Amino acid sequence: EHNLSPLGLLIEDVKVFANNFVRLLYSHVKRNANSVAHSLAKHAIHILDFQVWMLNVPPHIVSILQLDVVDLP
């Protein structure tokens, strides 16, 4: 059945691409364990136009990204 939610097309794309993998695992991660993605999502709400970052990390993410790297095993 078709997903008519606002994220329906994204979910459909994920399902299509997921078929290309032999094994695929999904897991839920709490917000504090994925601070970079959470910060980007909060920032994206305020972007009125299309934006792409290709060579550099967005300035507001640098400090958060550095903290994530420090916590790597």
Side-chain angles (χ1 to χ4, degrees):
E1 69 189 60
H2 291 286
N3 187 332
L4 301 177
S5 73
L7 296 175
L9 292 176
L10 176 62
I11 293 169
E12 293 301 319
D13 282 350
V14 169
K15 288 178 180 178
V16 168
F17 287 113
N19 289 327
N20 294 322
F21 295 95
V22 174
R23 183 173 180 215
L24 181 63
L25 300 172
Y26 295 97
S27 64
H28 177 266
V29 177
K30 291 185 178 183
R31 183 180 318 154
N32 61 348
N34 201 354
S35 55
V36 173
H38 177 67
S39 182
L40 281 171
K42 283 186 358 184
H43 177 72
I45 292 171
H46 304 289
I47 296 175
L48 300 177
D49 199 6
F50 183 76
Q51 233 176 28
V52 176
W53 299 293
M54 297 196 56
L55 299 177
N56 299 314
V57 175
H60 63 280
I61 298 297
V62 172
S63 61
I64 299 167
L65 186 58
Q66 288 171 336
L67 290 172
D68 271 3
V69 171
V70 168
D71 290 337
L72 288 176

Short mmCIF file of all heavy atoms in Angstrom, two decimals:
data_model
loop_
_atom_site.label_atom_id
_atom_site.label_comp_id
_atom_site.label_asym_id
_atom_site.label_seq_id
_atom_site.Cartn_x
_atom_site.Cartn_y
_atom_site.Cartn_z
N GLU A 1 0.84 -1.18 0.00
CA GLU A 1 0.00 0.00 0.00
C GLU A 1 0.88 1.24 0.00
O GLU A 1 2.02 1.20 0.43
CB GLU A 1 -0.94 -0.01 1.20
CG GLU A 1 -0.25 0.18 2.53
CD GLU A 1 -1.20 -0.05 3.68
OE1 GLU A 1 -1.74 -1.17 3.79
OE2 GLU A 1 -1.41 0.89 4.45
N HIS A 2 0.34 2.34 -0.46
CA HIS A 2 1.10 3.58 -0.56
C HIS A 2 1.05 4.33 0.77
O HIS A 2 0.02 4.40 1.43
CB HIS A 2 0.55 4.47 -1.67
CG HIS A 2 0.80 3.89 -3.03
ND1 HIS A 2 2.04 3.91 -3.62
CD2 HIS A 2 -0.03 3.28 -3.90
CE1 HIS A 2 1.96 3.34 -4.79
NE2 HIS A 2 0.71 2.94 -4.99
N ASN A 3 2.18 4.91 1.12
CA ASN A 3 2.29 5.71 2.33
C ASN A 3 1.97 7.16 1.98
O ASN A 3 2.71 7.79 1.22
CB ASN A 3 3.71 5.59 2.90
CG ASN A 3 3.85 6.25 4.24
OD1 ASN A 3 3.16 7.19 4.55
ND2 ASN A 3 4.78 5.75 5.02
N LEU A 4 0.88 7.69 2.51
CA LEU A 4 0.45 9.05 2.18
C LEU A 4 0.91 10.09 3.19
O LEU A 4 0.50 11.23 3.13
CB LEU A 4 -1.08 9.08 2.04
CG LEU A 4 -1.66 8.15 0.97
CD1 LEU A 4 -3.18 8.22 0.98
CD2 LEU A 4 -1.11 8.49 -0.40
N SER A 5 1.80 9.68 4.10
CA SER A 5 2.30 10.64 5.09
C SER A 5 3.27 11.61 4.42
O SER A 5 3.71 11.38 3.29
CB SER A 5 3.03 9.89 6.22
OG SER A 5 4.27 9.40 5.76
N PRO A 6 3.61 12.71 5.09
CA PRO A 6 4.55 13.67 4.50
C PRO A 6 5.91 13.04 4.15
O PRO A 6 6.59 13.50 3.25
CB PRO A 6 4.72 14.73 5.59
CG PRO A 6 3.46 14.65 6.39
CD PRO A 6 3.06 13.20 6.35
N LEU A 7 6.28 11.98 4.82
CA LEU A 7 7.55 11.31 4.54
C LEU A 7 7.37 10.07 3.67
O LEU A 7 8.30 9.29 3.49
CB LEU A 7 8.23 10.92 5.85
CG LEU A 7 8.66 12.07 6.75
CD1 LEU A 7 9.21 11.55 8.06
CD2 LEU A 7 9.68 12.94 6.06
N GLY A 8 6.19 9.90 3.12
CA GLY A 8 5.86 8.70 2.36
C GLY A 8 6.81 8.41 1.22
O GLY A 8 7.24 7.27 1.03
N LEU A 9 7.17 9.43 0.43
CA LEU A 9 8.06 9.20 -0.71
C LEU A 9 9.46 8.81 -0.23
O LEU A 9 10.10 7.95 -0.84
CB LEU A 9 8.14 10.46 -1.58
CG LEU A 9 6.85 10.79 -2.34
CD1 LEU A 9 7.01 12.10 -3.09
CD2 LEU A 9 6.48 9.67 -3.29
N LEU A 10 9.92 9.40 0.84
CA LEU A 10 11.22 9.04 1.40
C LEU A 10 11.21 7.59 1.87
O LEU A 10 12.14 6.82 1.58
CB LEU A 10 11.58 9.97 2.55
CG LEU A 10 12.88 9.65 3.29
CD1 LEU A 10 14.07 9.76 2.35
CD2 LEU A 10 13.03 10.54 4.49
N ILE A 11 10.16 7.20 2.54
CA ILE A 11 10.04 5.82 3.03
C ILE A 11 10.00 4.84 1.86
O ILE A 11 10.64 3.79 1.89
CB ILE A 11 8.81 5.66 3.94
CG1 ILE A 11 9.04 6.47 5.23
CG2 ILE A 11 8.52 4.21 4.25
CD1 ILE A 11 7.82 6.63 6.09
N GLU A 12 9.29 5.19 0.82
CA GLU A 12 9.24 4.33 -0.38
C GLU A 12 10.63 4.19 -1.00
O GLU A 12 11.02 3.09 -1.41
CB GLU A 12 8.25 4.89 -1.40
CG GLU A 12 6.81 4.84 -0.95
CD GLU A 12 6.32 3.43 -0.65
OE1 GLU A 12 6.67 2.49 -1.41
OE2 GLU A 12 5.61 3.26 0.35
N ASP A 13 11.39 5.28 -1.08
CA ASP A 13 12.75 5.22 -1.61
C ASP A 13 13.64 4.32 -0.77
O ASP A 13 14.42 3.53 -1.28
CB ASP A 13 13.38 6.62 -1.69
CG ASP A 13 12.88 7.42 -2.87
OD1 ASP A 13 12.20 6.85 -3.74
OD2 ASP A 13 13.18 8.63 -2.92
N VAL A 14 13.52 4.43 0.55
CA VAL A 14 14.31 3.59 1.44
C VAL A 14 13.98 2.12 1.19
O VAL A 14 14.88 1.27 1.13
CB VAL A 14 14.07 3.97 2.92
CG1 VAL A 14 14.66 2.94 3.87
CG2 VAL A 14 14.64 5.36 3.21
N LYS A 15 12.73 1.81 1.03
CA LYS A 15 12.33 0.42 0.77
C LYS A 15 12.93 -0.09 -0.54
O LYS A 15 13.40 -1.23 -0.62
CB LYS A 15 10.81 0.30 0.72
CG LYS A 15 10.13 0.43 2.06
CD LYS A 15 8.63 0.33 1.88
CE LYS A 15 7.87 0.44 3.18
NZ LYS A 15 6.41 0.39 2.96
N VAL A 16 12.91 0.75 -1.57
CA VAL A 16 13.46 0.34 -2.87
C VAL A 16 14.96 0.10 -2.76
O VAL A 16 15.48 -0.93 -3.20
CB VAL A 16 13.16 1.41 -3.95
CG1 VAL A 16 13.96 1.14 -5.22
CG2 VAL A 16 11.67 1.43 -4.26
N PHE A 17 15.69 1.05 -2.15
CA PHE A 17 17.14 0.91 -2.03
C PHE A 17 17.53 -0.23 -1.08
O PHE A 17 18.57 -0.85 -1.25
CB PHE A 17 17.79 2.22 -1.58
CG PHE A 17 17.81 3.26 -2.67
CD1 PHE A 17 17.06 4.40 -2.56
CD2 PHE A 17 18.57 3.06 -3.81
CE1 PHE A 17 17.07 5.36 -3.56
CE2 PHE A 17 18.60 4.01 -4.82
CZ PHE A 17 17.85 5.16 -4.70
N ALA A 18 16.71 -0.49 -0.09
CA ALA A 18 17.00 -1.57 0.86
C ALA A 18 17.05 -2.92 0.17
O ALA A 18 17.76 -3.83 0.61
CB ALA A 18 15.95 -1.58 1.98
N ASN A 19 16.33 -3.07 -0.92
CA ASN A 19 16.33 -4.34 -1.66
C ASN A 19 17.67 -4.64 -2.31
O ASN A 19 17.92 -5.75 -2.75
CB ASN A 19 15.23 -4.34 -2.71
CG ASN A 19 13.86 -4.44 -2.09
OD1 ASN A 19 13.68 -5.09 -1.07
ND2 ASN A 19 12.89 -3.79 -2.70
N ASN A 20 18.56 -3.64 -2.40
CA ASN A 20 19.88 -3.83 -3.02
C ASN A 20 20.90 -4.46 -2.07
O ASN A 20 22.00 -4.77 -2.49
CB ASN A 20 20.42 -2.50 -3.54
CG ASN A 20 19.58 -1.94 -4.67
OD1 ASN A 20 19.10 -2.68 -5.51
ND2 ASN A 20 19.40 -0.65 -4.68
N PHE A 21 20.55 -4.61 -0.81
CA PHE A 21 21.47 -5.14 0.18
C PHE A 21 21.13 -6.58 0.52
O PHE A 21 19.97 -6.97 0.59
CB PHE A 21 21.42 -4.30 1.47
CG PHE A 21 21.91 -2.89 1.27
CD1 PHE A 21 21.01 -1.87 1.02
CD2 PHE A 21 23.26 -2.60 1.35
CE1 PHE A 21 21.45 -0.57 0.83
CE2 PHE A 21 23.72 -1.31 1.17
CZ PHE A 21 22.81 -0.29 0.90
N VAL A 22 22.17 -7.38 0.75
CA VAL A 22 21.98 -8.75 1.19
C VAL A 22 21.48 -8.76 2.62
O VAL A 22 20.60 -9.53 2.98
CB VAL A 22 23.30 -9.54 1.07
CG1 VAL A 22 23.16 -10.93 1.66
CG2 VAL A 22 23.75 -9.59 -0.37
N ARG A 23 22.05 -7.89 3.45
CA ARG A 23 21.65 -7.80 4.85
C ARG A 23 21.59 -6.33 5.24
O ARG A 23 22.49 -5.56 4.93
CB ARG A 23 22.67 -8.52 5.72
CG ARG A 23 22.30 -8.54 7.17
CD ARG A 23 23.25 -9.42 7.95
NE ARG A 23 22.84 -9.38 9.35
CZ ARG A 23 23.67 -9.43 10.35
NH1 ARG A 23 24.96 -9.55 10.13
NH2 ARG A 23 23.23 -9.38 11.57
N LEU A 24 20.55 -5.94 5.92
CA LEU A 24 20.36 -4.56 6.32
C LEU A 24 19.68 -4.52 7.68
O LEU A 24 18.67 -5.19 7.89
CB LEU A 24 19.49 -3.83 5.29
CG LEU A 24 19.21 -2.36 5.52
CD1 LEU A 24 20.50 -1.55 5.49
CD2 LEU A 24 18.25 -1.84 4.46
N LEU A 25 20.27 -3.78 8.61
CA LEU A 25 19.71 -3.66 9.95
C LEU A 25 19.34 -2.22 10.23
O LEU A 25 20.12 -1.30 9.92
CB LEU A 25 20.73 -4.14 11.00
CG LEU A 25 21.19 -5.57 10.88
CD1 LEU A 25 22.34 -5.82 11.86
CD2 LEU A 25 20.05 -6.52 11.15
N TYR A 26 18.20 -2.00 10.80
CA TYR A 26 17.76 -0.68 11.23
C TYR A 26 17.76 -0.67 12.75
O TYR A 26 17.40 -1.65 13.38
CB TYR A 26 16.34 -0.36 10.74
CG TYR A 26 16.21 -0.28 9.24
CD1 TYR A 26 15.76 -1.36 8.51
CD2 TYR A 26 16.53 0.88 8.58
CE1 TYR A 26 15.63 -1.29 7.13
CE2 TYR A 26 16.40 0.97 7.20
CZ TYR A 26 15.95 -0.11 6.49
OH TYR A 26 15.82 -0.03 5.13
N SER A 27 18.15 0.45 13.33
CA SER A 27 18.08 0.56 14.78
C SER A 27 17.73 1.99 15.16
O SER A 27 18.08 2.94 14.46
CB SER A 27 19.40 0.14 15.43
OG SER A 27 20.43 1.01 15.05
N HIS A 28 17.05 2.12 16.27
CA HIS A 28 16.68 3.44 16.79
C HIS A 28 17.81 3.93 17.68
O HIS A 28 18.34 3.18 18.50
CB HIS A 28 15.38 3.35 17.59
CG HIS A 28 15.01 4.65 18.20
ND1 HIS A 28 15.36 5.00 19.49
CD2 HIS A 28 14.33 5.70 17.69
CE1 HIS A 28 14.92 6.21 19.75
NE2 HIS A 28 14.29 6.65 18.68
N VAL A 29 18.20 5.17 17.49
CA VAL A 29 19.24 5.78 18.30
C VAL A 29 18.66 7.03 18.95
O VAL A 29 18.05 7.85 18.27
CB VAL A 29 20.47 6.16 17.44
CG1 VAL A 29 21.53 6.86 18.27
CG2 VAL A 29 21.03 4.94 16.75
N LYS A 30 18.84 7.15 20.25
CA LYS A 30 18.32 8.32 20.94
C LYS A 30 19.03 9.58 20.45
O LYS A 30 20.15 9.53 19.95
CB LYS A 30 18.49 8.17 22.45
CG LYS A 30 17.59 7.12 23.04
CD LYS A 30 17.70 7.10 24.54
CE LYS A 30 16.73 6.07 25.09
NZ LYS A 30 16.74 6.06 26.55
N ARG A 31 18.36 10.69 20.59
CA ARG A 31 18.84 11.97 20.11
C ARG A 31 20.26 12.29 20.60
O ARG A 31 21.10 12.75 19.85
CB ARG A 31 17.88 13.07 20.56
CG ARG A 31 18.22 14.43 20.06
CD ARG A 31 17.23 15.47 20.55
NE ARG A 31 15.88 14.96 20.47
CZ ARG A 31 14.88 15.39 21.23
NH1 ARG A 31 15.08 16.33 22.12
NH2 ARG A 31 13.68 14.90 21.12
N ASN A 32 20.55 12.03 21.87
CA ASN A 32 21.86 12.38 22.40
C ASN A 32 22.97 11.49 21.84
O ASN A 32 24.15 11.82 21.96
CB ASN A 32 21.86 12.36 23.93
CG ASN A 32 21.53 11.00 24.50
OD1 ASN A 32 21.09 10.12 23.78
ND2 ASN A 32 21.69 10.85 25.79
N ALA A 33 22.64 10.38 21.23
CA ALA A 33 23.64 9.51 20.62
C ALA A 33 23.90 9.87 19.17
O ALA A 33 24.79 9.32 18.53
CB ALA A 33 23.21 8.05 20.72
N ASN A 34 23.12 10.78 18.63
CA ASN A 34 23.28 11.20 17.24
C ASN A 34 23.12 12.71 17.16
O ASN A 34 22.26 13.22 16.45
CB ASN A 34 22.26 10.47 16.37
CG ASN A 34 22.68 10.47 14.92
OD1 ASN A 34 23.66 11.08 14.54
ND2 ASN A 34 21.91 9.78 14.11
N SER A 35 23.96 13.41 17.87
CA SER A 35 23.81 14.86 18.01
C SER A 35 24.02 15.62 16.71
O SER A 35 23.40 16.65 16.49
CB SER A 35 24.74 15.39 19.10
OG SER A 35 26.06 15.01 18.83
N VAL A 36 24.88 15.11 15.82
CA VAL A 36 25.10 15.79 14.55
C VAL A 36 23.82 15.77 13.70
O VAL A 36 23.38 16.80 13.19
CB VAL A 36 26.28 15.17 13.77
CG1 VAL A 36 26.39 15.77 12.38
CG2 VAL A 36 27.58 15.36 14.54
N ALA A 37 23.21 14.60 13.58
CA ALA A 37 21.97 14.50 12.80
C ALA A 37 20.86 15.33 13.43
O ALA A 37 20.09 15.99 12.72
CB ALA A 37 21.54 13.04 12.69
N HIS A 38 20.79 15.32 14.75
CA HIS A 38 19.75 16.10 15.44
C HIS A 38 19.94 17.60 15.19
O HIS A 38 18.99 18.32 14.88
CB HIS A 38 19.77 15.81 16.93
CG HIS A 38 18.81 16.62 17.72
ND1 HIS A 38 17.44 16.47 17.59
CD2 HIS A 38 18.99 17.61 18.62
CE1 HIS A 38 16.84 17.33 18.39
NE2 HIS A 38 17.76 18.03 19.02
N SER A 39 21.18 18.06 15.27
CA SER A 39 21.46 19.48 15.04
C SER A 39 21.17 19.87 13.59
O SER A 39 20.62 20.94 13.33
CB SER A 39 22.91 19.79 15.39
OG SER A 39 23.17 21.15 15.23
N LEU A 40 21.54 19.01 12.65
CA LEU A 40 21.24 19.29 11.24
C LEU A 40 19.73 19.35 10.99
O LEU A 40 19.25 20.21 10.25
CB LEU A 40 21.87 18.23 10.34
CG LEU A 40 23.35 18.38 10.07
CD1 LEU A 40 23.88 17.14 9.37
CD2 LEU A 40 23.63 19.62 9.25
N ALA A 41 18.99 18.46 11.62
CA ALA A 41 17.53 18.46 11.45
C ALA A 41 16.92 19.74 12.01
O ALA A 41 16.04 20.33 11.38
CB ALA A 41 16.93 17.24 12.13
N LYS A 42 17.40 20.17 13.17
CA LYS A 42 16.89 21.42 13.75
C LYS A 42 17.23 22.61 12.86
O LYS A 42 16.42 23.51 12.68
CB LYS A 42 17.47 21.65 15.15
CG LYS A 42 16.83 20.79 16.21
CD LYS A 42 17.26 21.05 17.62
CE LYS A 42 18.30 22.08 17.88
NZ LYS A 42 18.72 22.19 19.27
N HIS A 43 18.42 22.58 12.28
CA HIS A 43 18.84 23.67 11.38
C HIS A 43 18.00 23.66 10.09
O HIS A 43 17.63 24.72 9.57
CB HIS A 43 20.32 23.52 11.06
CG HIS A 43 20.84 24.52 10.10
ND1 HIS A 43 21.02 25.84 10.42
CD2 HIS A 43 21.21 24.40 8.79
CE1 HIS A 43 21.50 26.49 9.37
NE2 HIS A 43 21.61 25.63 8.38
N ALA A 44 17.72 22.48 9.57
CA ALA A 44 17.00 22.35 8.30
C ALA A 44 15.61 22.95 8.34
O ALA A 44 15.10 23.41 7.32
CB ALA A 44 16.93 20.89 7.89
N ILE A 45 15.00 22.97 9.50
CA ILE A 45 13.65 23.54 9.63
C ILE A 45 13.64 25.00 9.21
O ILE A 45 12.66 25.50 8.66
CB ILE A 45 13.15 23.40 11.09
CG1 ILE A 45 12.92 21.93 11.40
CG2 ILE A 45 11.89 24.21 11.33
CD1 ILE A 45 12.64 21.66 12.87
N HIS A 46 14.76 25.70 9.40
CA HIS A 46 14.83 27.14 9.13
C HIS A 46 15.39 27.47 7.75
O HIS A 46 15.52 28.64 7.41
CB HIS A 46 15.66 27.82 10.22
CG HIS A 46 15.14 27.55 11.59
ND1 HIS A 46 13.97 28.10 12.07
CD2 HIS A 46 15.61 26.76 12.58
CE1 HIS A 46 13.75 27.67 13.29
NE2 HIS A 46 14.72 26.86 13.63
N ILE A 47 15.73 26.47 6.96
CA ILE A 47 16.25 26.71 5.61
C ILE A 47 15.07 26.88 4.67
O ILE A 47 14.24 25.99 4.54
CB ILE A 47 17.16 25.54 5.15
CG1 ILE A 47 18.38 25.45 6.04
CG2 ILE A 47 17.57 25.75 3.69
CD1 ILE A 47 19.26 24.26 5.74
N LEU A 48 15.02 28.01 4.02
CA LEU A 48 13.90 28.30 3.13
C LEU A 48 14.17 27.86 1.69
O LEU A 48 13.25 27.72 0.90
CB LEU A 48 13.58 29.79 3.16
CG LEU A 48 13.20 30.34 4.54
CD1 LEU A 48 12.98 31.85 4.47
CD2 LEU A 48 11.98 29.64 5.08
N ASP A 49 15.42 27.66 1.35
CA ASP A 49 15.79 27.30 -0.01
C ASP A 49 16.59 26.01 0.01
O ASP A 49 16.92 25.48 1.07
CB ASP A 49 16.63 28.44 -0.61
CG ASP A 49 16.68 28.41 -2.12
OD1 ASP A 49 15.97 27.57 -2.73
OD2 ASP A 49 17.41 29.22 -2.71
N PHE A 50 16.92 25.50 -1.15
CA PHE A 50 17.71 24.29 -1.28
C PHE A 50 19.16 24.60 -0.93
O PHE A 50 19.71 25.60 -1.38
CB PHE A 50 17.60 23.78 -2.73
CG PHE A 50 18.31 22.49 -2.98
CD1 PHE A 50 17.76 21.30 -2.54
CD2 PHE A 50 19.52 22.47 -3.64
CE1 PHE A 50 18.41 20.10 -2.76
CE2 PHE A 50 20.17 21.28 -3.87
CZ PHE A 50 19.61 20.09 -3.44
N GLN A 51 19.80 23.75 -0.12
CA GLN A 51 21.18 23.96 0.28
C GLN A 51 21.96 22.66 0.20
O GLN A 51 21.45 21.61 0.59
CB GLN A 51 21.22 24.47 1.73
CG GLN A 51 22.00 25.71 1.90
CD GLN A 51 21.92 26.20 3.35
OE1 GLN A 51 21.74 25.44 4.28
NE2 GLN A 51 22.06 27.49 3.51
N VAL A 52 23.19 22.74 -0.31
CA VAL A 52 24.06 21.57 -0.40
C VAL A 52 25.43 21.95 0.14
O VAL A 52 25.98 22.98 -0.22
CB VAL A 52 24.21 21.09 -1.87
CG1 VAL A 52 25.19 19.93 -1.97
CG2 VAL A 52 22.87 20.70 -2.44
N TRP A 53 25.97 21.11 1.00
CA TRP A 53 27.33 21.29 1.51
C TRP A 53 28.18 20.19 0.90
O TRP A 53 27.95 19.01 1.16
CB TRP A 53 27.38 21.18 3.03
CG TRP A 53 26.56 22.21 3.73
CD1 TRP A 53 26.80 23.55 3.75
CD2 TRP A 53 25.39 22.00 4.50
NE1 TRP A 53 25.83 24.19 4.50
CE2 TRP A 53 24.95 23.26 4.98
CE3 TRP A 53 24.66 20.87 4.86
CZ2 TRP A 53 23.84 23.40 5.78
CZ3 TRP A 53 23.54 21.03 5.64
CH2 TRP A 53 23.14 22.29 6.09
N MET A 54 29.17 20.56 0.10
CA MET A 54 29.95 19.54 -0.60
C MET A 54 31.37 19.40 -0.08
O MET A 54 31.87 18.29 0.00
CB MET A 54 29.96 19.86 -2.09
CG MET A 54 28.57 19.81 -2.66
SD MET A 54 28.46 19.71 -4.42
CE MET A 54 29.39 18.31 -4.83
N LEU A 55 32.03 20.48 0.26
CA LEU A 55 33.44 20.39 0.63
C LEU A 55 33.68 20.62 2.12
O LEU A 55 34.64 20.12 2.67
CB LEU A 55 34.26 21.40 -0.18
CG LEU A 55 34.24 21.18 -1.69
CD1 LEU A 55 35.02 22.28 -2.39
CD2 LEU A 55 34.82 19.82 -2.05
N ASN A 56 32.83 21.38 2.75
CA ASN A 56 33.03 21.72 4.14
C ASN A 56 31.83 21.33 4.99
O ASN A 56 30.71 21.30 4.51
CB ASN A 56 33.26 23.23 4.29
CG ASN A 56 34.49 23.70 3.54
OD1 ASN A 56 35.52 23.08 3.63
ND2 ASN A 56 34.35 24.78 2.79
N VAL A 57 32.11 21.08 6.24
CA VAL A 57 31.04 20.82 7.19
C VAL A 57 30.40 22.17 7.52
O VAL A 57 31.10 23.16 7.67
CB VAL A 57 31.62 20.20 8.48
CG1 VAL A 57 30.56 20.03 9.54
CG2 VAL A 57 32.27 18.87 8.16
N PRO A 58 29.07 22.24 7.63
CA PRO A 58 28.44 23.52 7.99
C PRO A 58 29.03 24.04 9.30
O PRO A 58 29.25 23.27 10.24
CB PRO A 58 26.96 23.15 8.16
CG PRO A 58 26.80 21.89 7.38
CD PRO A 58 28.10 21.18 7.43
N PRO A 59 29.31 25.34 9.37
CA PRO A 59 29.99 25.92 10.54
C PRO A 59 29.33 25.59 11.88
O PRO A 59 30.02 25.35 12.86
CB PRO A 59 29.96 27.41 10.27
CG PRO A 59 29.75 27.55 8.81
CD PRO A 59 29.01 26.34 8.37
N HIS A 60 28.01 25.56 11.92
CA HIS A 60 27.33 25.31 13.19
C HIS A 60 27.44 23.85 13.65
O HIS A 60 27.08 23.52 14.76
CB HIS A 60 25.86 25.73 13.09
CG HIS A 60 25.08 24.94 12.08
ND1 HIS A 60 25.14 25.20 10.75
CD2 HIS A 60 24.27 23.88 12.23
CE1 HIS A 60 24.37 24.35 10.10
NE2 HIS A 60 23.83 23.53 10.99
N ILE A 61 27.96 22.99 12.79
CA ILE A 61 28.07 21.56 13.10
C ILE A 61 29.49 21.18 13.55
O ILE A 61 29.68 20.16 14.19
CB ILE A 61 27.67 20.72 11.85
CG1 ILE A 61 26.24 20.99 11.48
CG2 ILE A 61 27.89 19.25 12.07
CD1 ILE A 61 25.23 20.60 12.53
N VAL A 62 30.46 22.01 13.25
CA VAL A 62 31.87 21.66 13.49
C VAL A 62 32.12 21.25 14.94
O VAL A 62 32.70 20.19 15.21
CB VAL A 62 32.80 22.82 13.08
CG1 VAL A 62 34.23 22.54 13.51
CG2 VAL A 62 32.73 23.04 11.58
N SER A 63 31.69 22.06 15.91
CA SER A 63 31.96 21.73 17.31
C SER A 63 31.25 20.44 17.74
O SER A 63 31.81 19.64 18.49
CB SER A 63 31.57 22.88 18.23
OG SER A 63 30.19 23.14 18.11
N ILE A 64 30.05 20.23 17.25
CA ILE A 64 29.31 19.01 17.59
C ILE A 64 30.00 17.79 16.98
O ILE A 64 30.16 16.76 17.62
CB ILE A 64 27.85 19.11 17.09
CG1 ILE A 64 27.16 20.29 17.77
CG2 ILE A 64 27.09 17.82 17.36
CD1 ILE A 64 25.84 20.67 17.14
N LEU A 65 30.46 17.93 15.75
CA LEU A 65 31.16 16.86 15.08
C LEU A 65 32.47 16.53 15.80
O LEU A 65 32.81 15.35 15.98
CB LEU A 65 31.44 17.25 13.62
CG LEU A 65 32.04 16.20 12.72
CD1 LEU A 65 31.17 14.97 12.65
CD2 LEU A 65 32.26 16.77 11.33
N GLN A 66 33.18 17.55 16.25
CA GLN A 66 34.43 17.32 17.00
C GLN A 66 34.16 16.55 18.29
O GLN A 66 34.94 15.67 18.66
CB GLN A 66 35.12 18.65 17.30
CG GLN A 66 35.73 19.27 16.06
CD GLN A 66 36.23 20.69 16.29
OE1 GLN A 66 35.76 21.38 17.19
NE2 GLN A 66 37.16 21.11 15.46
N LEU A 67 33.07 16.85 18.96
CA LEU A 67 32.73 16.11 20.18
C LEU A 67 32.43 14.65 19.87
O LEU A 67 32.79 13.76 20.63
CB LEU A 67 31.54 16.76 20.89
CG LEU A 67 31.81 18.10 21.54
CD1 LEU A 67 30.51 18.73 22.03
CD2 LEU A 67 32.80 17.96 22.66
N ASP A 68 31.74 14.39 18.75
CA ASP A 68 31.45 13.01 18.36
C ASP A 68 32.74 12.24 18.06
O ASP A 68 32.88 11.08 18.43
CB ASP A 68 30.55 12.98 17.13
CG ASP A 68 29.08 13.00 17.48
OD1 ASP A 68 28.75 13.10 18.68
OD2 ASP A 68 28.25 12.92 16.56
N VAL A 69 33.69 12.88 17.39
CA VAL A 69 34.94 12.23 17.03
C VAL A 69 35.75 11.90 18.28
O VAL A 69 36.35 10.83 18.39
CB VAL A 69 35.75 13.11 16.07
CG1 VAL A 69 37.15 12.56 15.86
CG2 VAL A 69 35.02 13.22 14.73
N VAL A 70 35.74 12.78 19.27
CA VAL A 70 36.46 12.55 20.52
C VAL A 70 35.92 11.31 21.23
O VAL A 70 36.66 10.56 21.86
CB VAL A 70 36.37 13.80 21.43
CG1 VAL A 70 36.85 13.48 22.84
CG2 VAL A 70 37.16 14.93 20.83
N ASP A 71 34.62 11.06 21.11
CA ASP A 71 33.99 9.94 21.79
C ASP A 71 34.15 8.60 21.07
O ASP A 71 33.70 7.57 21.56
CB ASP A 71 32.50 10.21 22.00
CG ASP A 71 32.26 11.30 23.03
OD1 ASP A 71 33.16 11.53 23.87
OD2 ASP A 71 31.19 11.92 23.00
N LEU A 72 34.80 8.59 19.90
CA LEU A 72 34.99 7.34 19.19
C LEU A 72 35.93 6.42 19.95
O LEU A 72 36.87 6.89 20.58
CB LEU A 72 35.56 7.60 17.78
CG LEU A 72 34.62 8.21 16.77
CD1 LEU A 72 35.38 8.49 15.47
CD2 LEU A 72 33.44 7.31 16.48
N PRO A 73 35.69 5.11 19.90
CA PRO A 73 36.57 4.17 20.63
C PRO A 73 37.96 4.10 20.04
O PRO A 73 38.26 4.37 18.99
CB PRO A 73 35.86 2.83 20.51
CG PRO A 73 34.81 2.98 19.47
CD PRO A 73 34.62 4.44 19.22
#
